Structure formats: C-alpha cells, structure tokens
Amino acid sequence: MAKMIPDIPAESIQNDGERMVYAAARELPHDYTVLYSYKFAVSDRDGDSVLREADFVIVHPELGFVVVEVKQSAIGFHNGEWYEYKHGTAYVLHKDPVAQATGAMFAILQRY
C-alpha cells in the first residue's frame, strides 16, 4: 500500500472523482507516496506569490513523479477547447486540465 499524505478515509473526500483516484492510488505498492491536494506557490506577473493546488502528486523514488488533475464529470476536447459534460450539456472548462497538471509539474520540479 502506498504512503498517503494526508492519510484520510477516502469516504471523507467530497469530490467523486478525487475520492475514486485516492482509493485507487492507495493500492499502489509501498514505495509510492501519494500527496493529495498538494499546495504549492508560483509567482504571478508582478512577482507576487500565488498559492496553487495539484489534485494528486504521485511520487516514486526511482521513477520520479506525476501530477494528476481530476475532473468530477466527463470531459472532452474539441476544436481547441476543453469541455465538461453535465446532465447532457457541454460546458467550456475555464481551465485547461493539461495546462493545470503541466504547470504544477514544472512548478514542483523547479522547487525541488
């Protein structure tokens, strides 16, 4: 079983998608560490520090790390835009999930 930080009951997570990923990540081998709702700081255009969050950072001492951005509902990519599908309707996502995960990955990598 992976080391979970924080080590909380999966049932306590409100977001369905995050709860499912948390429960699945817990089953990774013991040499993995899973950071849930990991907070990190980045500088904005003015040089001020802005707090951001990565849904999951999964770390392995030999393989490195991966950042996972979780969306609660079905999502898709069409004509250069990300969409979230809820109740049969497509809504444009305000944030690009790939850019979110990539930005978090590079910010964390730069810090360490």
Side-chain angles (χ1 to χ4, degrees):
M1 179 168 30
K3 179 178 181 182
M4 304 300 287
I5 302 173
D7 190 1
I8 58 176
E11 303 79 37
S12 69
I13 299 172
Q14 297 294 316
N15 180 297
D16 292 339
E18 290 179 8
R19 183 174 47 255
M20 288 188 295
V21 172
Y22 187 94
R26 182 184 292 279
E27 300 305 316
L28 288 167
H30 74 279
D31 49 350
Y32 283 85
T33 299
V34 179
L35 304 156
Y36 169 61
S37 191
Y38 181 76
K39 309 291 190 284
F40 61 97
V42 296
S43 296
D44 66 9
R45 292 181 188 161
D46 298 325
D48 296 327
S49 187
V50 178
L51 191 61
R52 297 281 165 85
E53 177 187 18
D55 292 336
F56 292 90
V57 180
I58 302 173
V59 182
H60 187 276
E62 295 175 13
L63 301 174
F65 74 98
V66 63
V67 175
V68 179
E69 176 64 28
V70 178
K71 298 299 178 199
Q72 186 157 310
S73 55
I75 65 168
F77 187 77
H78 183 68
N79 290 334
E81 292 190 291
W82 286 95
Y83 291 87
E84 181 175 30
Y85 299 95
K86 289 183 179 178
H87 312 294
T89 304
Y91 301 92
V92 175
L93 285 175
H94 299 292
K95 296 179 182 178
D96 175 338
V98 174
Q100 284 181 277
T102 303
M105 177 191 68
F106 283 116
I108 294 166
L109 184 62
Q110 184 177 35
R111 183 171 183 174
Y112 293 101

